[in-house]
Amino acid sequence: DVKVTQSSRYLVKRTGEKVFLECVQDMDHENMFWYRQDPGLGLRLIYFSYDVKMKEKGDIPEGYSVSREKKERFSLILESASTNQTSMYLCASSFFPQGANTEAFFGQGTRLTVV
Amino acid sequence: GEDVEQSLFLSVREGDSSVINCTYTDSSSTYLYWYKQEPGAGLQLLTYIFSNMDMKQDQRLTVLLNKKDKHLSLRIADTQTGDSAIYFCAEITPGYSSASKIIFGSGTRLSIRP
C-alpha cells in the first residue's frame, strides 16, 4: 500500500518560531511537493523537488524553505512563523517523468496554527 | 501564467447527476486530472484524461474535455451521499526545469441533498 506520511496532523506554534514539517514517502518517487490549502484558494504550490538536493520554487515560496537530503524525505521549513502561515499543509509525491499513470499521492495533511 | 478555475460550491439531490466544471489556461497541458478530497483526508486521484481525448468514461464518472474552450467537466451519475467531498481539477504543465508541476483549481465542494 503506497504511503505518504506527514509527521504531524496538528501543530500549534508561536509567531517567530522556526517550524519543520516533515514528509516521508515509501514509493521511491523522484518528485515531491509541498502545497498549502486555504478555503476558496485551493492548493497552492510552495516548493517542489525532482531529485535529492534539487528544489524549485512554486507559486508562493516566500517565508518558506525546503530540504531534500534523502530521496524519501522532503521537509518544509518556516523560518519565522507568522499568523498568515496558519493553514493546512499537504505533501505529495509522484514518479518522474509525469505521465497519465504518474498520479500524485498525498499525505493526510498537517494543520498548522500560528498564534 | 497557468491558472485553473472552478466554482466553489455545488449542491445536488441524491440520485441526480452532478456536473463539476473547470477551465484552464495552459494549452500545452498534457494531462488533466480530477482529484477527490474527503473530509479530514488528503487528495486521491479519481480519474484523468489525455489532452488528445474528448471523453473518458469510468463507471459512474464521465470526463469531457473541450480543448478549444479549455474546459473540463466531471459528471457523476446517480450521486450518492458518499460522493460528498471537495473535487479538484488539476493540470500538468511542462516544467521550467526537468520536472513538471501539477496546478490545482480551487476545488468544488459537492454537497448532497436528501
Side-chain angles (χ1 to χ4, degrees):
Chain A
D1 197 18
V2 297
K3 216 163 191 173
V4 178
T5 304
Q6 293 181 231
S7 51
S8 306
R9 289 297 302 273
Y10 301 95
L11 273 181
V12 180
K13 296 291 180 181
R14 293 193 185 280
T15 301
E17 274 193 78
K18 190 168 185 175
V19 182
F20 292 86
L21 303 184
E22 305 286 348
C23 176
V24 176
Q25 49 97 2
D26 63 2
M27 295 164 282
D28 203 33
H29 285 165
E30 291 85 6
N31 293 339
M32 294 189 77
F33 306 84
W34 274 107
Y35 291 88
R36 63 177 281 178
Q37 181 180 12
D38 300 289
L41 297 177
L43 273 68
R44 292 180 293 167
L45 182 64
I46 305 171
Y47 267 97
F48 64 103
S49 168
Y50 52 91
D51 200 355
V52 175
K53 296 192 190 295
M54 305 303 288
K55 60 185 179 185
E56 289 276 348
K57 290 181 180 179
D59 299 315
I60 51 163
E62 296 77 21
Y64 303 95
S65 62
V66 289
S67 172
R68 184 118 181 250
E69 296 297 318
K70 293 185 178 181
K71 191 176 184 181
E72 67 270 18
R73 186 180 296 269
F74 192 36
S75 303
L76 180 69
I77 303 153
L78 285 66
E79 298 292 341
S80 176
S82 64
T83 54
N84 64 10
Q85 291 177 309
T86 292
S87 187
M88 171 71 86
Y89 289 87
L90 290 167
C91 175
S93 70
S94 71
F95 282 116
F96 175 82
Q98 296 284 2
N101 60 345
T102 54
E103 70 177 275
F105 292 87
F106 282 81
Q108 292 286 82
T110 297
R111 186 167 292 283
L112 173 67
T113 303
V114 182
V115 298
Chain B
E2 317 94 350
D3 198 16
V4 178
E5 294 192 354
Q6 304 175 238
S7 53
L8 292 181
F9 300 100
L10 177 66
S11 175
V12 299
R13 200 180 300 276
E14 189 174 2
D16 286 353
S17 292
S18 306
V19 179
I20 303 170
N21 294 302
C22 168
T23 57
Y24 61 98
T25 56
D26 192 337
S27 57
S28 63
S29 296
T30 50
Y31 304 102
L32 294 135
Y33 298 83
W34 284 103
Y35 280 81
K36 178 182 181 182
Q37 184 183 34
E38 295 182 350
L43 278 69
Q44 285 192 298
L45 182 67
L46 259 188
T47 187
Y48 63 88
I49 189 166
F50 288 95
S51 58
N52 62 358
M53 293 169 65
D54 298 324
M55 186 183 90
K56 181 179 179 183
Q57 187 142 9
D58 184 2
Q59 300 182 331
R60 290 191 299 124
L61 305 178
T62 303
V63 179
L64 294 177
L65 175 61
N66 181 329
K67 279 198 76 176
K68 177 174 163 290
D69 295 337
K70 299 193 186 70
H71 182 266
L72 182 73
S73 68
L74 173 70
R75 179 176 179 270
I76 306 172
D78 187 23
T79 310
Q80 303 297 309
T81 53
D83 296 323
S84 292
I86 302 175
Y87 291 82
F88 290 91
C89 171
E91 62 173 352
I92 293 282
T93 63
Y96 33 74
S97 63
S98 52
S100 301
K101 61 177 184 175
I102 309 171
I103 305 294
F104 287 86
S106 57
T108 299
R109 184 179 294 275
L110 176 64
S111 61
I112 315 302
R113 307 190 300 272

